[in-house]
Amino acid sequence: MKRYFIAVFVAFLSGVMSIDARRVEMNLLQTSDVHGNYFPYDFITGKNADGSLARVSSAVKEARKKYGANVILLDNGDILQGQPTVYYYNYVDTLAAHVTSAVMNYMRYDAGNVGNHDVETGRAVLDRWSRNCDMPILGANIIDKSTGEPYFKPYEVIEHDGVKVAVLGMLTPAIPAWLPETLWNGLRFDDIETTARKWMPIIKEKEAPDVIVGLFHAGQAGNMLAGYKENPSLEVARNVPGFDIILMGHDHRRECKRVINVDGDTVLVMNPANNGVVLTDITMAFEVDDNGKVTHKYIDGELRPMADFDIDAAFMVEFSPYIAEVNNYVNESVGRLTDSISTRDAYFGPSAFVDLIHRLQLDITGADISFAAPISYDANISAGEIFVGEMFNLYKYENMLYVMELTGKEIKDYLEFSYGLWANTMKSKNDHLLLFKEKPTDGDESRAMLANPSYNFDSAAGIIYEVDVRKRPGRRIKILGMADGSDFDCSKTYKVALNSYRGNGGGELLTRGAGIPHDKLSSRIVYSTDRDLRYYLADYIHKKGVITPEKLNHWKFVPEKYIIPAVKRDYKILFPEK
């Protein structure tokens, strides 16, 4: 099918068209989930980056040399959070021109979409960024509660050589399942398919476009999350006629394929994944008659690796002042670690890395129990002086810290659900400890082999417990008592420290696990910080001066005769020697 389509497309470009027709060629480029990777190195690790907008800029300039003005450049959200670059201009230097707006204006984006991590920065940052952008920010399903109308522009029409391309922008509506309302106060997030059905006839009647693009910060699989359909892009492509192209984001999964919608028309569906490593590159060719009407159109796309492009030197010169500012920020000393820490051991038992977060959460809040997970899949911080940049390695996201009231039974059920995502049911010492998608072998892509995201692998501190992997999920956890030696009571209410993502229902450990209805979660929150956890981690280390990381050893997998050989095997699978 693809080979046939490309053959027809090439033939068209070679001149197989009506003698009287005019040919128009366009190039549509999409970035998504850039997560602050504007420059070709990682400010967290101090290493060079494979992607970045510095390389994308070179690809865009190449396209503009080839197609002239007939290039459409779109971003599909999650651009405002991830690297220290954006954190600095989100929260530290709030007076300077925002680096994200400056970069997007320099690259001459035609439109941008909103992602969930953009909403997570808070209304002030989101509004500042959108105001400072030269292009429109889209969001047809982001509704201002006071007016009932879209808070951002619902769609944008881009016209080149008489050919009109309409871009309808939307965001996954599952924001309330992850983020506290304080970050999106006054807004609501409507269902994507319902909103697409609303705007499709309006766009067709009012604009009469030749191509309609859905720019959706949502992935393919339409899973339900707290009553919201998180990733319905593929369903919309099939169920809502009128789209020629659906550009996806959010799930960080590369995709380039065609689907057939309910009217029998072909829809091109693409996703460039994340961090500016790959660029969506779509070529569109049109046959236009003497009356200016498009009589034929041909659309094809590919994912282009940015490693094939040089860093844009002019881009780097333009933003050298920003780079210098961020370098100074990330190289500020916070304190010292006496020992190196890594998330690698967190998959197999207590971890000094995760337990440092537990210690902080318990110290700040005075809570009885702490829940935390290895937020970064494979993070390492070396012994010695620790700098601001490394704090982003220690804690990846801008989650706040909550204290919630949970019963002992809810705590146990929460942990049962967590370890059900995490650990396999072992029948012998030859089985895997970790829950993999399929039987893995050495050398396979390790992270992709895990059945579930590791940021949902919550352990607990403040209680002493065992996880018996011989038992099926739901019957594994045996709580032996509180860490202070007192009894643990399933009927008692405890104060539990956890991050705001989890406290708002993220990962469904509180809802599907502990059995608390989503609309009741907010009533369980008795305390919230007003700054992100990373800020408090840095402050904690700075005040202590020197930190000796150590395992709390509040839990363990059992039985040891199964665990010891399984850990050796599974560790090599997750972290193969290079």
Side-chain angles (χ1 to χ4, degrees):
M1 179 86 174
K2 183 174 176 64
R3 285 195 298 270
Y4 171 76
F5 186 88
I6 291 173
V8 172
F9 183 78
V10 170
F12 175 77
L13 291 180
S14 301
V16 182
M17 55 185 289
S18 170
I19 295 175
D20 297 327
R22 178 170 60 91
R23 178 193 305 162
V24 175
E25 297 176 21
M26 258 186 232
N27 191 205
L28 189 158
L29 306 174
Q30 174 213 9
T31 55
S32 189
D33 299 86
V34 171
H35 286 292
N37 287 279
Y38 311 147
F39 308 118
Y41 35 81
D42 190 327
F43 286 97
I44 300 171
T45 64
K47 297 178 180 178
N48 291 333
D50 294 332
S52 82
L53 292 186
R55 294 186 188 275
V56 174
S57 182
S58 292
V60 172
K61 287 181 178 179
E62 178 185 90
R64 286 176 177 148
K65 285 182 181 179
K66 180 178 180 180
Y67 292 94
N70 290 4
V71 175
I72 298 173
L73 179 60
L74 306 173
D75 181 76
N76 203 1
D78 276 8
I79 197 168
L80 282 178
Q81 192 181 75
Q83 279 282 319
T85 318
V86 278
Y87 186 88
Y88 180 79
Y89 287 101
N90 285 347
Y91 307 113
V92 181
D93 187 349
T94 58
L95 298 178
H98 199 291
V99 64
T100 313
S101 309
V103 166
M104 297 182 84
N105 292 342
Y106 175 87
M107 295 178 65
R108 296 178 5 232
Y109 273 86
D110 292 281
N113 202 20
V114 177
N116 54 293
H117 284 289
D118 303 323
V119 176
E120 190 171 10
T121 63
R123 290 288 301 273
V125 174
L126 187 64
D127 290 346
R128 176 179 161 220
W129 163 60
S130 60
R131 283 196 308 268
N132 291 337
C133 285
D134 293 340
M135 78 292 183
I137 301 301
L138 306 181
N141 67 330
I142 304 174
I143 307 302
D144 186 333
K145 289 182 180 179
S146 64
T147 64
E149 298 297 323
Y151 184 71
F152 295 102
K153 192 173 184 180
Y155 67 89
E156 174 75 344
V157 176
I158 302 158
E159 184 171 351
H160 292 302
D161 285 350
V163 177
K164 296 171 73 174
V165 178
V167 181
L168 177 67
M170 282 191 272
L171 161 70
T172 177
I175 300 298
W178 304 309
L179 305 179
E181 191 172 354
T182 52
L183 296 175
W184 46 272
N185 188 41
L187 303 176
R188 77 167 193 264
F189 307 92
D190 287 354
D191 178 77
I192 287 182
E193 184 168 334
T194 303
T195 306
R197 291 185 185 280
K198 171 187 174 180
W199 284 101
M200 182 61 71
I202 295 172
I203 292 170
K204 285 184 173 181
E205 182 178 345
K206 184 177 180 180
E207 311 294 348
D210 302 297
V211 174
I212 300 180
V213 178
L215 186 65
F216 301 158
H217 189 84
Q220 292 195 54
N223 59 298
M224 295 301 295
L225 187 63
Y228 303 95
K229 190 165 284 188
E230 180 186 0
N231 293 308
S233 295
L234 209 56
E235 293 179 32
V236 175
R238 288 174 173 146
N239 298 340
V240 183
F243 289 104
D244 298 278
I245 301 167
I246 297 289
L247 299 177
M248 301 183 297
H250 182 56
D251 61 4
H252 293 196
R253 296 178 180 178
R254 298 181 192 181
E255 186 59 271
C256 180
K257 66 182 179 184
R258 292 179 177 80
V259 299
I260 306 299
N261 68 17
V262 291
D263 281 0
D265 295 323
T266 300
V267 183
L268 179 64
V269 177
M270 297 190 69
N271 187 336
N274 56 308
N275 295 340
V277 175
V278 167
L279 179 69
T280 296
D281 188 332
I282 297 174
T283 307
M284 301 184 288
F286 306 89
E287 189 175 330
V288 185
D289 66 18
D290 291 341
N291 297 317
K293 182 179 179 181
V294 172
T295 56
H296 294 89
K297 59 186 175 185
Y298 300 89
I299 300 171
D300 195 22
E302 64 176 325
L303 297 174
R304 300 190 68 184
M306 291 298 95
D308 295 345
F309 289 86
D310 293 332
I311 296 164
D312 182 353
F315 179 99
M316 296 300 291
V317 170
E318 175 74 15
F319 295 103
S320 57
Y322 288 91
I323 295 169
E325 281 291 317
V326 176
N327 265 323
N328 289 337
Y329 171 64
V330 298
N331 288 316
E332 292 176 8
S333 177
V334 175
R336 294 184 64 83
L337 293 181
T338 59
D339 298 291
S340 299
I341 54 175
S342 169
T343 56
R344 290 190 173 192
D345 55 357
Y347 302 96
F348 309 103
S351 156
F353 193 111
V354 174
D355 284 351
L356 177 59
I357 297 169
H358 280 309
R359 287 165 58 188
L360 169 83
Q361 293 186 163
L362 292 171
D363 283 357
I364 287 178
T365 64
D368 305 304
I369 296 166
S370 167
F371 290 148
I375 301 297
S376 297
Y377 169 71
D378 185 13
N380 299 276
I381 300 177
S382 299
E385 194 167 11
I386 183 171
F387 300 94
V388 167
E390 291 175 298
M391 299 307 300
F392 290 78
N393 210 6
L394 185 61
Y395 206 90
K396 187 175 183 179
Y397 300 114
E398 274 86 79
N399 302 143
M400 291 178 286
L401 177 60
Y402 282 179
V403 175
M404 300 182 73
E405 290 184 336
L406 304 179
T407 67
K409 183 180 184 304
E410 289 167 341
I411 289 165
K412 182 180 183 299
D413 290 346
Y414 179 108
L415 291 172
E416 291 282 11
F417 188 83
S418 175
Y419 286 93
L421 299 173
W422 176 354
N424 183 39
T425 302
M426 297 182 69
K427 296 179 180 178
S428 78
K429 63 181 182 181
N430 297 317
D431 289 333
H432 291 291
L433 168 62
L434 301 181
L435 187 61
F436 291 105
K437 289 180 181 175
E438 57 189 56
K439 186 176 180 180
T441 56
D442 291 351
D444 282 338
E445 183 64 28
S446 55
R447 184 175 190 174
M449 297 300 294
L450 289 170
N452 296 291
S454 56
Y455 54 73
N456 286 331
F457 296 177
D458 272 26
S459 62
I463 54 175
I464 307 299
Y465 64 100
E466 295 176 346
V467 185
D468 191 337
V469 294
R470 296 170 299 182
K471 298 179 179 179
R472 65 177 175 84
R475 296 181 177 272
R476 293 173 166 173
I477 306 297
K478 182 178 182 181
I479 300 177
L480 305 175
M482 301 298 293
D484 63 6
S486 61
D487 292 337
F488 178 84
D489 186 346
C490 278
S491 63
K492 182 179 176 181
T493 297
Y494 295 91
K495 288 184 168 57
V496 181
L498 71 178
N499 68 46
S500 56
Y501 170 79
R502 193 71 76 231
N504 287 287
E508 301 184 294
L509 277 75
L510 283 167
T511 51
R512 291 177 60 196
I516 305 170
H518 189 268
D519 61 0
K520 302 297 183 184
L521 291 178
S522 61
S523 67
R524 300 293 193 95
I525 301 168
V526 296
Y527 170 79
S528 173
T529 59
D530 57 0
R531 298 288 297 268
D532 60 271
L533 254 168
R534 189 189 307 117
Y535 169 85
Y536 291 102
L537 278 166
D539 186 59
Y540 178 84
I541 295 170
H542 180 71
K543 287 178 178 176
K544 295 286 186 180
V546 178
I547 297 290
T548 300
E550 56 188 1
K551 296 180 181 181
L552 294 174
N553 291 319
H554 285 183
W555 69 277
K556 63 180 179 179
F557 285 118
V558 296
E560 286 190 357
K561 65 179 181 179
Y562 283 19
I563 302 306
I564 292 173
V567 167
K568 291 179 180 178
R569 287 193 308 271
D570 288 4
Y571 188 95
K572 290 179 180 179
I573 292 166
L574 275 191
F575 309 108
E577 294 181 6
K578 296 182 180 179

